[in-house]
Amino acid sequence: MSALPAILIVLATVAAMEGVAWASHKYIMHGFAWSWHRDHHEPHDKLLEKNDRFALFGAALSIALFAVGSSMIMGQAAWAPGTWMGLGVLVYGMIYTLIHDGLVHQRYFTWVPRRGYAKRLVQAHRLHHATLGREGGVSFGFLVARDPAVLRRELRQQRESGVVSLRESI
């Protein structure tokens, strides 16, 4: 496979992973797997969270796709795009770790952005954490951040309709 299609597959996979992350965050983490995700929404001073277990699913998906694309593992049945999709999942995981765990939650470094895309990401995710419990909420994605003013309005509407309880800071 030539370089251009491989690069396009990696980029398309990274973009698709944002949709996968949004859906799994909204419907799995805030659904039946809340018992793992809850500690991510509560203050703590632990190095690791139960929520970190979800990274194992992303890693397993990446490894499986690399295996499907590997002729060393699959022989003649290898599917070359699998390698590049596996790389896309890996790249998304690295971006997620740097932005979500590093920038937003400051687990690895401290930097508070004052403007631009990074500030918008931090604001959107902080608004996600403004809810008490798993119901309602906004901004379930990780790399796409909607306008924080719109998110605040949505949270207020959810509170007024009784869908969600908000922390005092909102």
Side-chain angles (χ1 to χ4, degrees):
M1 177 177 292
S2 64
L4 182 60
I7 291 168
L8 292 175
I9 290 170
V10 171
L11 294 175
T13 303
V14 170
M17 283 303 296
E18 177 67 0
V20 169
W22 179 90
S24 63
H25 188 190
K26 184 171 176 92
Y27 298 110
I28 296 172
M29 294 177 186
H30 281 255
F32 67 86
W34 178 248
S35 62
W36 281 12
H37 189 59
R38 177 185 297 132
D39 70 341
H40 180 65
H41 282 265
E42 297 171 350
H44 64 81
D45 58 356
K46 298 179 212 165
L47 177 64
L48 296 175
E49 305 172 344
K50 287 181 186 177
N51 184 69
D52 293 331
R53 297 173 185 171
F54 290 112
L56 299 174
F57 289 93
L61 176 60
S62 180
I63 290 166
L65 287 165
F66 274 119
V68 166
S70 170
S71 59
M72 288 177 55
I73 295 171
M74 300 297 291
Q76 294 290 348
W79 184 57
T83 298
W84 305 112
M85 292 170 73
L87 183 60
V89 173
L90 174 64
V91 167
Y92 183 85
M94 292 168 53
I95 293 168
Y96 168 87
T97 299
L98 285 172
I99 290 178
H100 178 262
D101 293 343
L103 174 66
V104 174
H105 290 289
Q106 299 182 359
R107 288 175 75 177
Y108 312 123
F109 56 87
T110 302
W111 174 58
V112 179
R114 303 284 180 225
R115 62 186 174 282
Y117 171 72
K119 180 179 179 181
R120 186 177 179 134
L121 276 175
V122 171
Q123 289 176 323
H125 198 73
R126 295 247 165 96
L127 288 167
H128 172 75
H129 281 265
T131 60
L132 295 170
R134 69 182 187 178
E135 288 78 22
V138 294
S139 194
F140 289 91
F142 297 110
L143 301 180
V144 176
R146 294 172 42 226
D147 181 2
V150 172
L151 298 175
R152 278 189 201 87
R153 281 195 301 273
E154 288 178 13
L155 280 173
R156 286 189 185 107
Q157 289 170 347
Q158 288 180 19
R159 180 183 60 202
E160 290 166 4
S161 65
V163 172
V164 71
S165 295
L166 298 177
R167 298 183 193 283
E168 291 300 317
S169 61
I170 186 73

